[in-house]
Amino acid sequence: VRSDLGFLTRRQKRRRKSHSTAMASPNLAFVPASLPPAAVEVEALQRFVSHSQRLLVMTGAGISTESGIPDYRSEGVGLYARTDRRPIQHAEFVRSASARQRYWARNFVGWTQFSSHQPNAAHLALRNWEKLGKLHWLVTQNVDALHTKAGSQRMTELHGCTHRVLCLGCGEQTPRSELQKHFEALNPTWRAEAHGMAPDGDVFLTDEQVRNFRVPACSRCGGILKPDVTFFGDTVSREKVDFVHRRLAEADSMLVAGSSLQVYSGYRFALAAHEKKLPIVIINIGPTRSDHFASMKVNSRCGELLPLIVPR
């Protein structure tokens, strides 16, 4: 069996080498086991991207696992497989002061580590595709800001971003880093040790640990502060959904990278692309909700495969 590299063009080899030297080794602690992409898969994806003129890319948690951020559903290594923890529900956060205290205490402890994660080779590859005019629009279901850190600009954060905080009363937005300072001022002697991290930066603390944690209100109106993200049980705004549908209407193909598409807010766009008869390629380790109508499905790491593709 010949090595996959034997099938790559010289330009692709140079590109792969430049990425490998520029990037730190990927963190595979939360990445399911997978085989390297086969040469025929690399070549097929190269043709797909080359033939696309207005490519819409949708990314999910699987693109960030190589940056050390766990996802929810990956077999064996996702949050659901490793623990009985489930993400907070929107209604619970809004209704319960104790739920908000628990959420913010855990988020406070995990923020320094979560906010320090950096883009991996997959994020940088998509940034390069955009710079070269190949990527028409990027839609990410992630809230980790890694695409922004990578430099992507033609992008919609479908579920918002944990790096912003929203007041549910007056709507004022503030940077999450500023809220961290307020937490520290209100809780100068509070200490807690984290045990594990969830995909949104939440960490595992006991009820006893969070009991005395103080949560600030909005300095402008006294309202409830919430991460500017769509929690489970909430819905993406109609304006944002319509905006993405308009970008999809302009697209001639769709690539899904690192998403099982189990959440309808993302799946709806794959479904719409299928109804428009657009070619759809999926890169994801494990099954997805759209495998049956994808033009091609590759069970490989996004950070291993995407940098091999040379947009042209």
Side-chain angles (χ1 to χ4, degrees):
V1 178
R2 285 187 288 175
S3 165
D4 289 345
L5 287 176
F7 289 84
L8 304 181
T9 66
R10 290 177 182 175
R11 188 177 178 189
Q12 285 172 320
K13 290 178 185 178
R14 289 196 301 271
R15 187 173 180 83
R16 180 171 185 166
K17 184 177 181 180
S18 67
H19 274 273
S20 64
T21 56
M23 293 295 300
S25 298
N27 183 336
L28 304 183
F30 301 114
V31 181
S34 65
L35 295 173
V40 292
E41 294 174 324
V42 176
E43 293 168 353
L45 182 60
Q46 178 68 65
R47 287 194 300 271
F48 169 77
V49 174
S50 297
H51 291 161
S52 300
Q53 298 300 312
R54 297 179 303 281
L55 176 64
L56 185 138
V57 177
M58 172 172 287
T59 65
I63 203 172
S64 294
T65 52
E66 292 175 60
S67 292
I69 300 176
D71 65 5
Y72 288 109
R73 296 178 175 83
S74 285
E75 183 177 351
V77 293
L79 182 73
Y80 294 164
R82 293 181 291 111
T83 77
D84 59 359
R85 288 282 306 283
R86 294 297 180 266
I88 192 167
Q89 296 289 313
H90 176 80
E92 181 187 14
F93 184 92
V94 173
R95 179 182 65 246
S96 169
S98 62
R100 294 193 294 274
Q101 179 191 45
R102 184 169 60 250
Y103 175 86
W104 279 122
R106 293 171 172 176
N107 188 273
F108 168 71
V109 174
W111 176 250
T112 300
Q113 179 183 348
F114 183 76
S115 61
S116 70
H117 288 292
Q118 295 301 312
N120 61 55
H123 298 99
L124 298 180
L126 294 177
R127 183 273 314 273
N128 292 337
W129 292 11
E130 179 186 314
K131 284 188 172 182
L132 294 170
K134 176 57 65 173
L135 191 153
H136 177 64
W137 204 259
L138 171 65
V139 181
T140 183
Q141 300 171 81
N142 300 335
V143 298
D144 52 33
L146 293 188
H147 284 297
T148 298
K149 289 182 179 180
S152 292
Q153 296 182 351
R154 297 178 60 83
M155 175 182 66
T156 296
E157 294 172 322
L158 191 63
H159 297 147
C161 182
T162 56
H163 288 247
R164 299 186 299 270
V165 177
L166 178 70
C167 173
L168 297 183
C170 66
E172 182 175 15
Q173 280 191 359
T174 56
R176 174 63 183 80
S177 56
E178 290 299 313
L179 183 60
Q180 191 76 353
K181 298 175 185 177
H182 293 312
F183 283 138
E184 292 169 352
L186 279 176
N187 301 277
T189 61
W190 187 86
R191 297 290 183 273
E193 182 179 350
H195 301 281
M197 179 174 288
D200 60 357
D202 191 9
V203 297
F204 307 157
L205 300 177
T206 66
D207 290 342
E208 182 62 31
Q209 286 176 300
V210 307
R211 194 179 311 281
N212 297 317
F213 186 77
R214 298 178 63 192
V215 179
C218 173
S219 58
R220 182 177 175 182
C221 75
I224 294 172
L225 296 179
K226 173 183 172 294
D228 188 16
V229 302
T230 303
F231 281 155
F232 282 74
D234 195 10
T235 57
V236 178
S237 72
R238 173 48 55 186
E239 292 79 11
K240 188 177 287 188
V241 171
D242 289 345
F243 178 87
V244 175
H245 274 301
R246 289 196 295 272
R247 300 292 78 77
L248 182 61
E250 299 163 352
D252 63 358
S253 54
M254 182 177 187
L255 172 68
V256 178
S259 176
S260 65
L261 297 173
Q262 291 301 315
V263 178
Y264 181 74
S265 58
Y267 172 68
R268 76 174 103 203
F269 299 113
L271 195 59
H274 175 61
E275 292 171 349
K276 283 168 53 70
K277 294 181 170 49
L278 299 185
I280 302 170
V281 167
I282 299 175
I283 305 170
N284 189 68
I285 302 173
T288 83
R289 198 172 177 180
S290 299
D291 286 355
H292 62 291
F293 59 66
S295 305
M296 181 174 71
K297 165 69 186 302
V298 186
N299 283 280
S300 295
R301 291 194 286 114
C302 297
E304 187 174 28
L305 178 55
L306 294 182
L308 299 178
I309 307 305
V310 183
R312 51 175 178 256

